[in-house]
């Protein structure tokens, strides 16, 4: 009687939409580089800001400040 795919047409159409959405998502993720691990620049600046405040408030001495700053600035920024 009918010359269609029945319910399979709808299933394959939805599957195609899902596959296209996943492809677009993967491309955007690769282009924006949001898949890199590690701290962001904002987190690095925040850590240094906290360290500077602690030093200014006298919570840590100059040697500890310099050591921690060296560690924070030496982090791999890949």
């Amino acid at each position: 009687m009918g010359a269609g795919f029945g319910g399979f047409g709808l299933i394959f159409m939805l599957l195609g939409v899902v596959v296209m959405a996943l492809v677009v998502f993967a491309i955007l993720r690769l282009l924006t580089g949001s898949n890199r691990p590690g701290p962001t620049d904002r987190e690095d600046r925040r850590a240094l800001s906290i360290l500077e405040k602690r030093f200014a408030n006298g919570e840590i001495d100059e040697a500890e400040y310099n050591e921690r700053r060296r560690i924070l600035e030496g982090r791999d920024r890949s």
Side-chain angles (χ1 to χ4, degrees):
M1 304 268 196
F5 289 103
F8 289 110
L10 180 62
I11 291 172
F12 284 118
M13 184 178 71
L14 292 175
L15 183 63
V17 170
V18 169
V19 168
M20 285 191 295
L22 288 173
V23 168
V24 169
F25 175 76
I27 290 172
L28 288 175
R29 188 154 169 110
L30 287 172
L31 291 176
T32 59
S34 62
N35 59 347
R36 68 178 179 93
T40 63
D41 287 337
R42 179 183 294 168
E43 290 169 336
D44 285 344
R45 286 192 306 267
R46 184 168 183 261
L48 283 172
S49 174
I50 291 170
L51 182 64
E52 289 168 356
K53 287 178 185 175
R54 289 188 64 202
F55 180 62
N57 290 336
E59 296 175 24
I60 58 175
D61 62 5
E62 186 176 359
E64 185 175 356
Y65 169 78
N66 289 331
E67 175 66 17
R68 290 178 186 238
R69 183 173 180 170
R70 182 186 63 79
I71 292 169
L72 287 172
E73 291 177 341
R75 280 200 279 210
D76 184 25
R77 300 174 189 266
S78 51

